[in-house]
Amino acid sequence: MLRIERVLGSRLEPGLSEQLHRLEHRGAIDVVTVPVADLPRRRLLITTRGGEELAIALPRDQKLFDGAVLLLDDLRAIVVRAAGERWLRLEPRSIEDAIELGYHVGNLHWRVRFDGKMLLVGLEGRMEDYVARLEGLIEARRVSVSLLEEGAEGQAEGHAAPLPGDDFAQRHPHSHSHSQ
């Protein structure tokens, strides 16, 4: 198990970006996909796409983020990819329904954000478990329910920001030979 004790920086920083670019050509970048809800954690046990187990233990002044470089040397790199986040979109039919919905969601201590008249609840488990807690409001058609999926940068419908390993060689804007 590899112990990670600090974030080296962002994959977008010029110095790191150049090194990552060179490693990408050799297929030497491993990605660790971290659920958005786990990004604020400083301690985490997780496995990279390549199968390497990581024990992440960051200092108090650092947090994980999409594009965080955890390991970088001449042979390889490990970069964080934030997993898309799923939101339960709740739309109350009236002000009375909105008040009751807010009461229930607040008592359940669910993580929320607002989008106009809709209440979005961050899913940290199965959608069915959340819907079951609001069954009365939903069955009475006082609240409508749908699912919203977002990528790492907050784009709706799961369009996440690109990262090395996602056809990077086909996307980067400058030209040079990719043969070795």
Side-chain angles (χ1 to χ4, degrees):
M1 181 172 298
L2 178 63
R3 186 170 172 89
I4 303 291
E5 296 181 334
R6 69 185 182 102
V7 172
L8 301 176
S10 169
R11 68 181 174 90
L12 301 176
E13 293 173 21
L16 296 177
S17 178
E18 290 170 18
Q19 289 179 280
L20 290 170
H21 182 82
R22 283 193 293 278
L23 290 170
E24 174 62 25
H25 286 283
R26 296 197 323 251
I29 295 180
D30 199 357
V31 174
V32 59
T33 303
V34 179
V36 172
D38 287 339
L39 289 175
R41 295 179 58 190
R42 289 188 312 276
R43 297 187 177 280
L44 186 65
L45 295 175
I46 197 161
T47 304
T48 69
R49 285 185 191 165
E52 185 160 8
E53 293 183 352
L54 304 180
I56 299 172
L58 301 178
R60 291 188 186 273
D61 64 334
Q62 288 192 331
K63 289 184 181 175
L64 297 173
F65 56 90
D66 189 52
V69 179
L70 302 180
L71 174 76
L72 181 61
D73 60 29
D74 293 335
L75 301 176
R76 66 185 183 135
I78 298 176
V79 180
V80 171
R81 166 57 154 245
E85 186 160 21
R86 296 174 37 220
W87 294 88
L88 188 63
R89 184 184 310 167
L90 304 169
E91 186 171 3
R93 300 287 182 217
S94 68
I95 190 71
E96 292 83 8
D97 297 337
I99 291 169
E100 189 171 340
L101 175 63
Y103 171 81
H104 288 296
V105 168
N107 277 338
L108 293 167
H109 301 282
W110 288 345
R111 187 171 46 90
V112 301
R113 73 177 205 221
F114 300 93
D115 184 12
K117 295 180 180 180
M118 289 179 275
L119 180 67
L120 303 176
V121 176
L123 295 178
E124 297 173 4
R126 295 177 344 131
M127 179 178 165
E128 296 81 12
D129 295 338
Y130 287 79
V131 170
R133 301 299 294 265
L134 302 172
E135 186 175 13
L137 289 170
I138 295 167
E139 284 185 357
R141 297 180 184 235
R142 296 175 59 201
V143 173
S144 66
V145 179
S146 61
L147 179 66
L148 173 68
E149 293 187 87
E150 292 182 336
E153 301 285 327
Q155 301 99 335
E157 311 312 325
H159 299 289
L163 229 186
D166 297 336
D167 299 323
F168 180 75
Q170 303 300 319
R171 283 192 328 277
H172 62 279
H174 61 279
S175 65
H176 61 248
S177 172
H178 284 264
S179 60
Q180 293 188 5

